[in-house]
């Protein structure tokens, strides 16, 4: 074999091994668009006069786009292939950011923009996550270790969430056009990511029409009834974004009058702290997680019990140091909950419903984004019910989930079930 041929083959292998990056870039971009809005919640309250409940509803509104996109996108990509479902996601995100850039004074426009960003993010999470997982294994990346796909997907999302929030907060606090410039930056980044996505190789071709089942049958996810999913993943999942939303939405709102003369930047800083801690712990996820128990989920819930209690302390003391520490602990809980949940999903799911079960998992995680709106409504309607009390209740609820996951930690392990089937 000639030197030229050897170098050409090696170059091709390197491109194949890096193919997951083309998809991860779009996951990063849609996550950026999903979370750049969060540190601006303070700006919308101060500069545009929206009430706390309305602002928290803006935060939750994109769940209306995320959940259908998750539940439909995953099974449709199993049916039609990853590319045709994932390719529109960056351009839907661009449309969402365009509306947000020009709609700061219209609640209706902001809600529609958030929904579009949610649709893009839902597609990116369900379809992009499955695509990255498949590109992180042979024949595309034979040197990747077990669990690389879950970690790469989780870290791509978390990096996008963190940098989107950080840049948006800084630009809104100190740059011109505070209500628009952050969204313009996101549009530029997403165009670049969308171009890269077109080069990503397909990993799951469309099913022949003669072999396709009814669409309603494709939307059924048999592994969602797996006992491991019900007893370990479901108690964990809502805390993924429950923790995140407390860390970078509830705490910044509480600290608005106690963070100096840069409340928007401080809000962004707390977002970055929480998500940077989440990103860091995700890189350790493979060492913490194990196939023989729910150790990863247990570690996540321990962080969450402590983090919710720390958030309650912030509500009672309103000190900057306590806010930073609480955001960091909640960020660790978020990051470990996300990566351990995805690793459990990849162990449970069959080859034909990985994207579908991933979509179900993410749909449950986004229940957590209702937390800020619920807390705001409770504080307005029941003045005696303080944020301190409700956050302590959250800590107790996380502890209850921890007890359940501990009790079921070694039960219904997919590896054990597969061994029993083979033995039988």
């Amino acid at each position: 074999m000639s030197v030229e041929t050897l170098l050409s083959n090696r170059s091709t292998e390197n491109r194949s091994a890096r193919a997951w990056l083309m998809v991860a870039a779009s996951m990063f971009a849609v996550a950026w668009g999903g979370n750049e809005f969060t540190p601006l919640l303070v700006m919308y309250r101060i500069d545009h006069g929206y009430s706390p409940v309305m602002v928290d509803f803006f935060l939750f509104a994109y769940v209306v786009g995320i959940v259908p996109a998750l539940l439909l996108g995953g099974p449709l990509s199993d049916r039609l292939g990853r590319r045709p479902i994932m390719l529109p996601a960056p351009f839907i995100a661009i449309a969402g950011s365009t509306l947000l850039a020009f709609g700061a004074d219209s609640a209706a426009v902001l809600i529609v923009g958030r929904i579009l960003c949610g649709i893009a993010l839902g597609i990116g999470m369900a379809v992009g996550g499955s695509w990255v997982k498949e590109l992180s294994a042979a024949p595309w990346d034979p040197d990747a270790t077990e669990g690389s796909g879950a970690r790469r997907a989780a870290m791509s999302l978390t990096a996008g969430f963190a940098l989107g929030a950080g840049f948006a907060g800084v630009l809104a606090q100190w740059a011109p056009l505070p209500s628009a410039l952050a969204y313009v930056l996101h549009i530029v980044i997403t165009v670049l990511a969308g171009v890269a996505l077109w080069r990503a190789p397909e990993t799951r071709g469309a099913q022949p029409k003669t072999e396709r089942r009814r669409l309603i049958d494709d939307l059924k996810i048999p592994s969602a009834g797996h006992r491991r999913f019900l007893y370990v993943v479901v108690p964990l999942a809502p805390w993924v974004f429950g923790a995140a939303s407390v860390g970078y939405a509830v705490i910044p709102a509480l600290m608005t009058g106690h963070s100096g003369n840069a409340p928007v930047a401080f809000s962004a800083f707390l977002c970055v702290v929480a998500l940077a801690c989440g990103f860091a712990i995700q890189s350790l996820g493979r060492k913490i997680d194990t196939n023989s128990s729910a150790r990863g989920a247990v570690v996540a819930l321990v962080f969450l019990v402590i983090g919710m209690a720390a958030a309650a302390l912030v509500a009672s003391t309103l000190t900057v140091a306590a806010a930073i520490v609480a955001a960091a602990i909640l960020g660790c809980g978020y990051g470990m909950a996300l990566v351990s949940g995805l690793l459990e999903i990849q162990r449970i799911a069959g080859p034909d419903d990985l994207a579908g079960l991933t979509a179900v998992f993410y749909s449950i995680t986004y229940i957590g984004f209702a937390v800020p709106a619920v807390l705001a409504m409770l504080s307005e309607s029941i003045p005696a019910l303080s944020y301190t009390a409700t956050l302590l209740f959250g800590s107790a609820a996380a502890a209850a989930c921890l007890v359940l996951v501990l009790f079921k930690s070694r039960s219904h392990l997919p590896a054990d079930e597969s061994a029993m089937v083979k033995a039988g």
Side-chain angles (χ1 to χ4, degrees):
M1 182 180 294
S2 67
V3 174
E4 291 80 3
T5 302
L6 182 63
L7 291 174
S8 176
N9 291 342
R10 184 169 298 175
S11 177
T12 301
E13 290 173 2
N14 289 338
R15 286 198 300 273
S16 295
R18 293 194 299 269
W20 67 271
L21 283 168
M22 302 174 191
V23 181
S26 281
M27 294 182 68
F28 170 86
V30 298
W32 181 303
N35 206 42
E36 64 184 338
F37 190 87
T38 306
L40 307 185
L41 297 175
V42 173
M43 179 196 73
Y44 287 115
R45 287 178 60 184
I46 296 173
D47 296 344
H48 298 275
Y50 293 109
S51 70
V53 173
M54 179 57 72
V55 164
D56 288 331
F57 181 75
F58 292 153
L59 179 67
F60 182 71
Y62 85 138
V63 178
V64 175
I66 287 172
V67 173
L70 283 169
L71 295 178
L72 290 172
L76 282 173
S77 76
D78 286 338
R79 179 186 182 97
L80 303 175
R82 308 302 185 209
R83 285 178 58 84
I85 308 301
M86 182 66 185
L87 287 176
F91 304 99
I92 296 171
I94 289 169
S97 277
T98 301
L99 288 178
L100 294 172
F102 292 100
D105 293 311
S106 170
V109 173
L110 291 177
I111 289 170
V112 173
R114 289 289 287 160
I115 290 172
L116 288 174
C117 289
I119 292 171
L121 181 56
I123 295 171
M125 295 176 88
V127 184
S130 299
W131 203 355
V132 166
K133 189 263 183 184
E134 291 159 352
L135 288 170
S136 300
W140 309 106
D141 191 359
D143 296 327
T145 58
E146 184 181 0
S148 292
R151 291 193 305 278
R152 287 169 174 176
M155 294 173 74
S156 299
L157 291 170
T158 300
F161 289 147
L163 292 175
F167 276 92
V170 169
L171 292 175
Q173 185 71 66
W174 290 299
L177 304 174
S179 300
L181 192 57
Y183 302 116
V184 173
L185 175 61
H186 172 247
I187 289 169
V188 172
I189 290 169
T190 309
V191 167
L192 297 175
V195 170
L197 186 64
W198 281 90
R199 301 179 60 197
E202 178 64 272
T203 55
R204 184 183 179 92
Q207 297 172 352
K209 290 184 178 181
T210 55
E211 297 179 10
R212 291 180 191 173
R213 302 177 300 171
R214 296 178 305 164
L215 180 57
I216 189 66
D217 293 327
D218 279 345
L219 295 178
K220 296 176 181 177
I221 314 296
S223 53
H226 194 287
R227 291 185 179 182
R228 183 77 176 174
F229 181 80
L230 297 175
Y231 294 138
V232 173
V233 178
V234 171
L236 175 70
W239 292 105
V240 173
F241 291 113
S245 65
V246 170
Y248 55 60
V250 174
I251 292 177
L254 293 172
M255 293 296 296
T256 298
H258 304 270
S259 50
N261 58 0
V264 178
F266 184 70
S267 176
F269 175 71
L270 290 183
C271 285
V272 172
V273 167
L275 292 165
C277 290
F279 185 89
I281 203 167
Q282 284 169 0
S283 65
L284 302 174
R286 182 171 62 88
K287 296 180 180 179
I288 297 172
D289 188 81
T290 174
N291 291 336
S292 60
S293 73
R295 185 169 66 191
V298 168
V299 170
L301 286 164
V302 169
F303 275 116
L304 291 162
V305 171
I306 298 170
M308 294 298 287
L313 179 64
V314 174
S316 63
T317 62
L318 297 175
T319 60
V320 169
I324 295 171
V325 171
I329 298 171
L330 288 165
C332 289
Y334 150 81
M336 197 62 220
L338 179 58
V339 75
S340 62
L342 287 172
L343 287 167
E344 289 283 353
I345 291 300
Q346 293 185 7
R347 286 191 283 266
I348 295 168
D352 293 328
D353 62 358
L354 172 61
L357 191 61
T358 302
V360 174
F361 167 68
Y362 278 132
S363 297
I364 300 172
T365 66
Y366 272 98
I367 294 172
F369 264 114
V371 170
V374 170
L375 294 181
M377 286 188 289
L378 286 174
S379 66
E380 285 194 1
S381 59
I382 310 174
L385 193 59
S386 66
Y387 270 94
T388 301
T390 53
L391 290 167
L392 284 174
F393 176 79
S395 180
C401 293
L402 173 61
V403 171
L404 174 59
V405 172
L406 277 170
F407 182 70
K408 292 292 185 178
S409 179
R410 298 181 183 275
S411 301
H412 314 296
L413 292 166
D416 292 345
E417 293 177 359
S418 298
M420 290 176 63
V421 170
K422 291 179 181 178

